[in-house]
Amino acid sequence: MEQTQQQAVDTQSAAPAAANPAIPATMRAAWFEKYGAPEDVVSVRTIPTPTPGPGEVLVKVAASSVNALDWHYTTGLPMFSRPALGLRRPNRTIPGADAAGIVVAIGEGVTRHAVGDEVFGEIDGGGFAEYALAPEDWWLPKPDGVTHEQATTLGVAAETALQGLRDWGGLREGQRVLIAGASGGVGSFAVPLAKILGASHVTAVCSTGNVEAALARGADRVVDYTREDVRSLGDTFDVFFDNAGTLSLREARRLLNRDGTYVSVTSPKTKWLKPLPRMLAIPIQFAFASQSAPAFRIASRNTDDIAWLAEQVASGRLEPLIEQRWSLEDAPEVLRRQGEFHARGKSLVIP
């Protein structure tokens, strides 16, 4: 009853998104106002369709991809990240950091896009909705030969893999790469991107159910961590892209060549502090080592990188691994599953 009343209030207070009468005054969106388990705090509501201001573009969403980032914003965990997520309330109220769709309205001064253009991009939340609003320079033209579903995967996770290997890891042609956590959103991109960037050999670490997928994505060798210990291989690598964080930093160093590079992009989490202790320990552990390790990083929005990734998809060199497609009503469940951190490839929300 309370939700129905809220929907009525939202509908009455809504204003048209633009002069275009084809754009409805309201839209459906996954919504949360407080931190908590996704199944407890996220619901689908009817809210006003946003109106583009100067320099903004309104897009009818065709697909939005799911990221661990969405789970963090929904739960507010771990607690030490609250200054970035929102101290008392979440900074974002609609999940979805990646979206793709068709431009339906533009604000004053917009020159990069026009109504009817097919676009995609990384945005500051809002993808789990029928319409999403973002500055014009956050949206990129969708290349021919790339579907909306493929395009929406090329934001947070793909950028993390690309920037982690190329920029933080300094991956060069002919190097040997170890990728731990090779099956999730980030890992499923890291394996083929390592090969595209010139790696001569890629060893992927994942569970039994993901071995074939890792091989199909270009891994030269796959270690099933449920049956084999990567520490027992007797092998070392030029770049260790750690998308799992389950090995100690001492163990990680032993898997590197003398001048190898360790790149950490995630690790197991707890409610309060983890992975903060590991983040702080990385520069200390490698301070006097012959190997190097950049500080724990989070990928930054880079439209040039996203455009490059789209070019790889359009050329057939890169194929996003899409695990499941969910409806908007399934948003609480897909976010709950994302929090288990055992995804295979990318999941999508289709409004």
Side-chain angles (χ1 to χ4, degrees):
M1 182 67 177
E2 180 179 349
Q3 182 175 348
T4 303
Q5 292 174 341
Q6 179 64 45
Q7 290 176 346
V9 171
D10 288 340
T11 302
Q12 293 171 1
S13 62
N20 186 349
I23 302 174
T26 60
M27 68 176 188
R28 293 163 56 253
W31 183 273
F32 64 102
E33 297 176 326
K34 61 182 181 179
Y35 294 122
E39 61 271 28
D40 295 331
V41 301
V42 178
S43 61
V44 176
R45 296 189 183 184
T46 299
I47 62 174
T49 304
T51 301
E56 294 181 326
V57 170
L58 182 67
V59 169
K60 182 173 177 57
V61 178
S64 180
S65 71
V66 185
N67 293 285
L69 183 66
D70 300 310
W71 180 86
H72 289 298
Y73 267 100
T74 304
T75 61
L77 300 176
M79 294 292 289
F80 78 86
S81 62
R82 288 287 179 93
L85 304 177
L87 281 175
R88 300 183 63 184
R89 293 179 177 273
N91 291 333
R92 301 180 184 181
T93 52
I94 301 176
D98 300 323
I102 300 174
V103 175
V104 293
I106 60 175
E108 182 182 354
V110 170
T111 59
R112 299 188 181 192
H113 308 290
V115 172
D117 287 353
E118 295 183 303
V119 297
F120 71 106
E122 179 188 342
I123 59 179
D124 280 348
F128 292 10
E130 294 179 311
Y131 295 88
L133 183 69
E136 66 169 324
D137 55 353
W138 291 6
W139 297 111
L140 288 82
K142 183 180 71 63
D144 292 337
V146 178
T147 68
H148 287 298
E149 292 189 355
Q150 291 173 324
T152 195
T153 67
L154 303 178
V156 175
E159 284 181 293
T160 299
L162 176 61
Q163 294 174 17
L165 289 166
R166 183 196 62 196
D167 303 336
W168 314 333
L171 175 58
R172 300 187 303 276
E173 189 170 352
Q175 290 189 318
R176 297 172 58 82
V177 179
L178 173 65
I179 298 173
S183 60
V186 174
S188 65
F189 277 111
V191 172
L193 284 173
K195 300 296 283 190
I196 291 173
L197 293 171
S200 62
H201 182 96
V202 174
T203 294
V205 182
C206 60
S207 61
T208 307
N210 297 310
V211 169
E212 292 303 319
L215 287 170
R217 298 191 67 71
D220 299 286
R221 175 174 56 188
V222 179
V223 177
D224 176 355
Y225 66 76
T226 69
R227 301 178 179 181
E228 188 177 12
D229 191 335
V230 69
R231 294 167 294 185
S232 66
L233 295 179
D235 200 358
T236 56
F237 303 87
D238 299 297
V239 178
F240 180 0
F241 183 87
D242 193 356
N243 188 41
T246 54
L247 299 181
S248 72
L249 295 178
R250 286 182 180 273
E251 291 169 329
R253 283 181 54 190
R254 294 192 186 103
L255 289 169
L256 288 170
N257 293 331
R258 180 173 177 78
D259 58 350
T261 303
Y262 174 73
V263 178
S264 177
V265 297
T266 191
S267 73
K269 302 168 180 65
T270 61
K271 179 178 179 180
W272 290 96
L273 285 179
K274 287 186 177 181
L276 183 59
R278 189 179 184 89
M279 294 166 62
L280 297 175
I282 289 172
I284 297 173
Q285 181 67 230
F286 285 83
F288 302 103
S290 60
Q291 301 107 331
S292 62
F296 191 99
R297 302 284 187 90
I298 297 175
S300 59
R301 180 191 296 108
N302 186 313
T303 53
D304 288 339
D305 283 350
I306 299 174
W308 181 86
L309 288 161
E311 290 173 3
Q312 305 310 302
V313 176
S315 70
R317 300 184 72 195
L318 179 66
E319 177 65 31
L321 178 60
I322 298 174
E323 178 188 24
Q324 285 183 300
R325 296 160 179 83
W326 302 78
S327 70
L328 196 56
E329 284 73 18
D330 293 322
E333 174 63 12
V334 71
L335 288 168
R336 184 194 69 78
R337 294 195 182 196
Q338 185 68 42
E340 295 175 350
F341 300 103
H342 290 296
R344 177 188 297 179
K346 298 288 293 180
S347 288
L348 307 182
V349 170
I350 312 295

